[in-house]
């Protein structure tokens, strides 16, 4: 391993203990290294601005940081067990190439604000991707809701309830994903604060140019209190995972619908072949594995959220426990975003089986229409309800799924879907 940043004379280390301390850190830090380098560059520029580094020193450090980013991206610099973590790797590389100057990069910063700023930049990127993906899902759903409306059964308790439509189904998920996109953006705004320059969590005796690094790194604001900067580690990760979980939860219900709708028993939906796989033993099978794995992605997101929540049982100030929050966000976002990213194409590609859906609409499903019509004509609803229950078969005569949907004029329902409101919110995003 490269020299430990914190190595002092007379301090003993033990290989087994060091391995335990590092855990998967050096591997996980591959996710964050480019952000760490970006923030290191801002830090160097900030040090030049306050005269702690000469212009020439700053230029050398910046050039070497760029070179490291290039080598890392090209696979020529590998972040591995030679280093304690990504932060150490950056300093080791600078010292390797620039000698004593490399050791100046850490002036006025701690790995505590270094990891905070790198993970925060990473989280901002992921929340941006989340918002974009939710947007794309909502757009596909709204397009399909506007393009076509086929009658289908509407269920409550998984029992046939009232006539619904594919347009209503799609509109429901369109609105859900507009909310999810909005929530991702809100969360992005919440966490859009620069922790760099808070050092170990108590500030430093240097007039660091934190306004500069804030603007240079594209943060909306400076995270003012060094104590809060540390308190926000894990808390902001949790907020990001909650935004992700909100989308993943709708995703799970959508996947559930599709896995039911594609069974022979329902037969409402045909999935494009690319979303199904075969069985190794049953030659007759095509299985909707993709939908099932999409459904399962929620488990990874929820697990990540739980892990961080459990980690946060801590007093204020940096605690090493927080290191484990990195694995949680990496895995949670990997699974959650991976599943969501498949959704726009999948939803564009599903085909409805109009006949099967129509065949599943039975006459009892008009009973609510019948009762409400009588109530509209002045019969007390409870009386109309009982009458409709008794005469469901008879009352359904002459009714069609289209007539039921055509009369569904309550705002948002089939005859008045108000798609323009959803369009407006989607474009506001
Ligand atoms: N790997 C550490 C983490 O993720 C980096 C910060 C280490 N700071 C410290 N004081 N030991 O939290």
């Amino acid at each position: 391993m490269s020299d430990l940043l914190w190595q002092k004379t007379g301090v003993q280390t033990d290989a087994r203990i060091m391995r335990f301390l590092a855990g998967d850190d050096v591997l996980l830090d591959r996710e964050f290294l480019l952000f760490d380098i970006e923030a290191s560059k801002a830090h160097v520029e900030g040090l030049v601005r306050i005269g702690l580094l000469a212009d020439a020193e700053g230029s050398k450090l910046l050039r070497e940081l760029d070179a490291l980013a290039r080598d890392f991206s090209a696979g020529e610099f590998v972040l591995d067990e030679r280093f304690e973590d990504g932060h150490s790797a950056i300093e080791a590389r600078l010292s390797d190439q620039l000698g004593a100057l490399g050791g100046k990069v850490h002036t006025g910063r701690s790995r505590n604000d270094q990891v905070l700023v790198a993970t925060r930049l990473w989280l901002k990127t992921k929340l941006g991707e989340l918002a974009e993906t939710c947007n794309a899902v909502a757009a596909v759903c709204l397009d399909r809701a506007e393009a076509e409306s086929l009658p289908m059964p509407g269920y409550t308790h998984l029992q046939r309830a009232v006539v619904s439509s594919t347009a209503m189904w799609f509109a429901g998920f369109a609105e859900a994903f507009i909310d999810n996109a909005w929530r991702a953006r809100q969360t992005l705004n919440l966490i859009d604060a620069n922790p760099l320059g808070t050092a170990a969590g108590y500030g430093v005796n240097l007039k660091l140019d934190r306004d500069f690094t804030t603007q240079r790194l594209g943060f909306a604001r400076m995270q003012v209190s060094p104590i809060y900067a540390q308190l926000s580690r894990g808390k902001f990760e949790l907020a990001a995972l909650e935004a992700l979980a909100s989308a993943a939860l709708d995703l799970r219900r959508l996947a559930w619908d599709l896995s039911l709708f594609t069974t022979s028993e329902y037969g409402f939906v045909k999935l494009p072949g690319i979303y199904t796989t075969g069985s190794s033993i049953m030659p007759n099978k095509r299985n909707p594995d993709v939908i099932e794995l999409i459904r399962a992605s929620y488990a990874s997101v929820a697990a990540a959220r739980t892990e961080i929540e459990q980690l946060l049982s801590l007093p204020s100030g940096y605690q090493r426990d927080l290191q484990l929050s990195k694995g949680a966000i990496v895995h949670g976002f990997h699974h959650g975003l991976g599943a969501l990213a498949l959704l726009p194409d999948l939803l564009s590609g599903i085909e409805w089986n109009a006949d099967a859906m129509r065949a599943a609409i039975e006459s009892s499903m008009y009973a609510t229409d019948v009762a409400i019509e009588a109530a509209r004509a002045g019969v007390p609803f409870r009386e109309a309800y009982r009458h409709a229950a008794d005469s469901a078969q008879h009352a359904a005569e002459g009714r069609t799924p289209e007539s039921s949907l055509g009369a569904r004029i309550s705002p948002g329902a089939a005859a008045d879907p108000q798609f323009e409101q959803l369009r407006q919110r989607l474009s506001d995003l």
Side-chain angles (χ1 to χ4, degrees), residues 76-133:
E76 280 155 27
F77 176 89
V78 181
L79 185 53
D80 58 22
E81 304 72 31
R82 291 173 298 154
F83 307 101
E84 187 186 9
D85 53 27
H87 321 305
S88 315
I90 292 175
E91 193 170 324
R93 160 83 176 226
L94 293 174
S95 300
D96 247 21
Q97 301 293 317
L98 305 172
L101 175 58
K104 289 195 175 184
V105 70
H106 213 56
T107 313
R109 82 169 173 186
S110 154
R111 281 183 297 165
N112 297 354
D113 63 337
Q114 195 177 352
V115 65
L116 260 175
V117 70
T119 49
R120 190 141 314 160
L121 290 168
W122 184 93
L123 280 173
K124 280 181 60 179
T125 308
K126 294 296 164 187
L127 285 170
E129 281 174 36
L130 175 62
E132 289 296 312
T133 311

Side-chain angles (χ1 to χ4, degrees), residues 25 85 87 111-112 115 233 318 320 323 326:
D25 218 36
D85 53 27
H87 321 305
R111 281 183 297 165
N112 297 354
V115 65
R233 187 165 184 205
Y318 175 80
R320 190 70 178 261
Q323 175 168 294
K326 291 189 293 191

Side-chain angles (χ1 to χ4, degrees), residues 196-207:
L196 181 63
T198 56
Y202 299 94
V204 283
N205 45 348
L206 287 174
K207 194 134 186 71

Side-chain angles (χ1 to χ4, degrees), residues 264 276-288:
S264 312
T276 64
T277 61
S279 155
S280 61
I281 180 173
M282 298 169 283
N284 54 320
K285 294 296 299 291
R286 287 306 289 177
N287 299 321

Side-chain angles (χ1 to χ4, degrees), residues 366-428:
Y366 300 109
T368 307
D369 291 345
V370 170
I372 291 175
E373 270 168 31
R376 209 165 55 195
V379 181
F381 180 75
R382 198 48 57 212
E383 203 176 300
Y385 171 98
R386 278 191 289 268
H387 184 74
D390 296 341
S391 63
Q393 205 62 39
H394 165 73
E397 261 163 41
R399 291 174 193 271
T400 63
E402 285 77 8
S403 68
S404 175
L405 292 168
R408 203 81 56 77
I409 53 174
S410 58
D416 181 19
Q418 307 208 358
F419 292 142
E420 62 291 349
Q421 285 214 43
L422 301 183
R423 272 274 163 235
Q424 187 58 51
R425 283 190 66 212
L426 190 58
S427 67
D428 288 347

Side-chain angles (χ1 to χ4, degrees), residues 239-251:
L241 283 167
E242 274 161 6
L244 177 63
S246 160
L249 199 57
D250 289 321
L251 183 71

